[in-house]
Amino acid sequence: LCSRFAVIRDGRIIADTSQTAAKTDIGETLFEGDVAVDQLDKFQQSHNIARAILVEGRNRVRIQVDPATGNAPEGFVPVHPTLEDAYLLMMKADDAVAA
């Protein structure tokens, strides 16, 4: 794979980074847990969801927690960020990212 990559959203480069830097930027702010299907919309209003995957009737959700508060919901455990997590969070971010 390439040592660096760019992420483009709406025709604008929002990130020019490396795989390591993209994952490191997330740091220890990523948590994973289950959310009931009927609770996902409400949960999304108060949490920064990186991704949600339906598994056996429940959503397996990865969220990014604000480092200032560092409080994950009950039942959520810290996970190591993947390149996919970094990409999905970059695509949701309001501002450009460069590393």
Side-chain angles (χ1 to χ4, degrees):
L1 295 173
C2 298
S3 61
R4 295 195 63 77
F5 67 95
V7 176
I8 300 171
R9 181 179 62 207
D10 296 326
R12 187 172 69 91
I13 295 175
I14 61 167
D16 177 3
T17 188
S18 69
Q19 293 179 47
T20 300
K23 292 186 287 185
T24 300
D25 286 347
I26 296 172
E28 297 177 4
T29 64
L30 204 63
F31 292 80
E32 185 173 277
D34 291 329
V35 176
V37 173
D38 62 343
Q39 295 296 310
L40 186 61
D41 287 338
K42 182 178 179 183
F43 188 83
Q44 189 168 3
Q45 293 173 9
S46 58
H47 296 87
N48 185 18
I49 296 178
R51 62 179 162 173
I53 300 170
L54 187 61
V55 178
E56 297 179 359
R58 293 189 63 80
N59 286 299
R60 193 69 183 159
V61 179
R62 281 187 173 225
I63 61 170
Q64 185 176 36
V65 173
D66 181 349
T69 62
N71 297 327
E74 185 176 328
F76 276 67
V77 296
V79 292
H80 295 287
T82 65
L83 193 55
E84 179 183 16
D85 294 321
Y87 171 79
L88 293 171
L89 289 169
M90 282 184 233
M91 291 302 286
K92 290 179 66 176
D94 292 332
D95 54 352
V97 176

